[in-house]
Amino acid sequence: MFRDFMREQSHAAGCRFHAFSFDGQDRDTGADYVLTDADRFAIVEFKYTDKNLVSEKYKPKRLTLCQKLLTREDMTRYHDKCHFISWADSKSNQIKTNIYRKEICNITVFGCKCGLPDLNPVHSEQISALAFAQDFFNIQGLRSLSLPEFEAYLAWVLTETSASTNSTLELLARNPNTQELMIMRLNSLSDAQKWVKDHIKPPSPRKHMGMGY
């Protein structure tokens, strides 16, 4: 539903949009999907409701991410612009989104021995799905990174916080050159960017808030 909502908002903004699933690679990236308008990128981890947010404590690589962000101001800046977590509020059913570390990197989630400085999530940073979409498609790139920035952040997450032997990801897309349903393996974010530009046409007329061409 989040993906479909973002696609609807991309039409309103006059932008391309596609969401690539990380599939099994989510254990290394700390997210389920990479979102792009073909120019800028973000990643999002999804939880069913707010009651499921604490389940991140069972993922040791996520605690490592939280701890290593404390020592890298440059990666923290990238993180805050591109790495998010989203869930449904259990009382209102409204979808909410927050910067991953502002919601997860705290003692409430990981316990008193985690070494993290924050006791609780930063609820003031939570926003609605609509606000997130408007920021994502904003021409200023309020909640996204450029391709070089995103590649640098993701490579750091993979190699430094997840101990992965790979600094890039394999993404799957539909092969549009056949009538059958077949996949294409995209071996880099640049390949994914090119696939979106080649196969997803931007809506028209284009509005001022969009990023993609």
Side-chain angles (χ1 to χ4, degrees), residues 94-194:
Q94 184 183 38
I95 301 300
K96 293 187 176 182
T97 302
N98 201 351
I99 297 167
Y100 184 91
R101 73 179 183 96
K102 297 294 183 72
E103 194 66 39
I104 301 300
C105 296
N106 57 74
I107 294 170
T108 298
V109 172
F110 287 106
C112 59
K113 296 181 180 180
C114 66
L116 300 174
D118 294 331
L119 176 60
N120 298 307
V122 184
H123 295 302
S124 60
E125 298 282 351
Q126 294 176 1
I127 60 173
S128 68
L130 178 60
F132 175 84
Q134 291 173 338
D135 285 349
F136 181 81
F137 293 116
N138 190 288
I139 195 169
Q140 297 179 354
L142 301 177
R143 294 188 186 270
S144 62
L145 292 177
S146 68
L147 178 60
E149 293 169 335
F150 187 67
E151 286 178 323
Y153 175 73
L154 207 54
W156 177 77
V157 169
L158 291 171
T159 59
E160 298 297 324
T161 77
S162 294
S164 173
T165 57
N166 296 318
S167 61
T168 58
L169 295 166
E170 179 185 84
L171 301 174
L172 300 181
R174 180 176 178 266
N175 186 342
N177 299 318
T178 174
Q179 291 182 335
E180 295 291 345
L181 183 58
M182 299 178 64
I183 63 170
M184 294 178 61
R185 288 181 172 83
L186 307 173
N187 296 314
S188 70
L189 290 166
S190 296
D191 287 348
Q193 182 184 54
K194 184 177 186 303

Side-chain angles (χ1 to χ4, degrees), residues 26-51:
D26 60 336
R27 61 183 176 272
D28 291 329
T29 60
D32 295 306
Y33 280 87
V34 57
L35 313 179
T36 182
D37 68 351
D39 288 306
R40 300 182 66 84
F41 297 80
I43 54 177
V44 184
E45 169 78 9
F46 292 102
K47 296 297 180 185
Y48 183 46
T49 73
D50 47 284
K51 297 177 181 178

Side-chain angles (χ1 to χ4, degrees), residues 12-23:
C15 295
R16 293 182 175 97
F17 174 76
H18 194 72
F20 292 97
S21 172
F22 281 137
D23 197 21

